[in-house]
């Protein structure tokens, strides 16, 4: 399966100059979706951990099935104001904006090992804030896995010291 060719590039979305990687073309293709989930499972199955952290919204799509297959718990990171119980929060920046992310204060127990799963690594801003939330609660990030890594944005450099893994890499922007 050439998974890389299954992603649609939408140029200048949501802003001028962005080569947006559209995952919907992978999701709607049953073989590509299965291959994507299986690949993520294979990428993290050697790690020793209890929980997967999935950031809203595309992180849910990939974090949940991997947690199910590997028999792990799933912790949701949501955008401000969506979680019903008490939260820890952190402000973050991404390739095209700014926002606040939150996690329930009892989502992770001190010492628990977690793996963060998201669809895509761009600047690493989202993941850094996910790490901050996990570490605020005393959790340990033992791995971070993405379906797609945009290596030309250097996100991995912002995540030094962490075990960063990805299924597919794009080395240059089409813009
Ligand atoms: O590495 P970064 O520069 O932080 O960018 C990557 C993040 O951006 C996208 O999410 P987005 O915030 O657009 O939200 P969505 O999943 O709800 O579309 C993507 O799903 C990653 O979480
Ligand atoms: N270029 C991009 N394509 C898809 N999702 C993104 N999130 C941040 N940058 C992105």
């Amino acid at each position: 399966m050439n998974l890389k060719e299954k992603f649609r590039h939408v140029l200048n979305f949501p802003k001028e100059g962005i080569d947006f990687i559209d995952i919907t073309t992978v999701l709607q293709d049953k073989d590509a979706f299965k291959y994507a989930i299986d690949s993520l499972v294979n990428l993290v199955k050697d790690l020793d951990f209890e929980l997967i952290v999935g950031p809203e919204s595309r992180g849910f799509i990939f974090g949940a099935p991997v947690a199910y297959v590997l028999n792990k718990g799933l912790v949701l990171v949501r955008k401000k104001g969506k979680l019903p119980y008490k939260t820890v929060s952190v402000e973050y920046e991404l390739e095209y904006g700014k926002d606040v992310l939150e996690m329930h204060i009892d989502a992770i127990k001190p010492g628990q090992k977690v793996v963060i799963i998201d669809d895509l690594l761009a600047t690493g801003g989202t993941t850094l804030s996910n790490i901050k939330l996990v570490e605020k609660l005393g959790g340990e990030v033992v791995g971070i896995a993405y379906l797609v890594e945009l290596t030309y944005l250097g996100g991995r450099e912002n995540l030094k010291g962490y075990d960063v893994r990805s299924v597919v890499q794009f080395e240059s922007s089409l813009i």
Side-chain angles (χ1 to χ4, degrees):
M1 158 85 58
N2 186 348
L3 186 61
K4 202 167 168 174
E5 72 182 13
K6 302 282 184 183
F7 295 91
R8 174 164 55 201
H9 292 249
V10 183
L11 304 186
N12 300 309
F13 178 88
K15 279 208 308 217
E16 197 68 25
I18 303 287
D19 169 6
F20 191 89
I21 309 299
D22 179 11
I23 58 164
T24 65
T25 45
V26 170
L27 300 177
Q28 67 205 23
D29 175 331
K30 66 179 172 52
D31 298 324
F33 185 40
K34 183 168 175 42
Y35 184 85
I37 299 302
D38 290 347
S39 302
L40 280 167
V41 166
N42 285 328
L43 209 54
V44 301
K45 68 178 185 208
D46 65 303
L47 294 167
D48 173 26
F49 67 104
E50 283 178 70
L51 294 168
I52 285 179
V53 169
E56 183 176 352
S57 61
R58 284 175 264 157
F60 296 174
I61 298 169
F62 298 100
V66 175
Y68 176 79
V69 171
L70 293 177
N71 195 27
K72 310 292 181 184
L74 179 68
V75 169
L76 305 184
V77 171
R78 297 216 59 182
K79 288 166 187 166
K80 193 179 170 61
K82 297 284 187 181
L83 287 170
Y85 187 58
K86 288 178 234 161
T87 58
V88 280
S89 65
V90 62
E91 192 174 290
Y92 77 115
E93 273 183 55
L94 72 169
E95 198 185 356
Y96 41 72
K98 236 184 183 184
D99 213 337
V100 172
L101 291 179
E102 297 181 332
M103 187 187 277
H104 275 150
I105 52 162
D106 59 354
I108 295 168
K109 310 276 172 287
Q112 268 189 321
K113 292 179 179 165
V114 313
V115 167
I116 297 170
I117 293 193
D118 204 352
D119 68 323
L120 180 138
L121 171 62
T123 65
T126 303
T127 302
L128 269 181
S129 51
N130 294 335
I131 292 170
K132 279 185 196 154
L133 291 171
V134 171
E135 293 181 350
K136 267 189 188 189
L137 295 179
E140 183 189 349
V141 177
V142 299
I144 307 168
Y146 306 91
L147 190 57
V148 178
E149 177 177 359
L150 306 182
T151 57
Y152 58 91
L153 291 175
R156 187 177 275 274
E157 298 305 305
N158 293 327
L159 302 171
K160 278 214 178 89
Y162 293 93
D163 181 344
V164 176
R165 306 174 179 195
S166 58
V167 175
V168 165
Q169 299 80 32
F170 288 101
E171 282 88 24
S172 58
S173 166
L174 295 186
I175 296 182

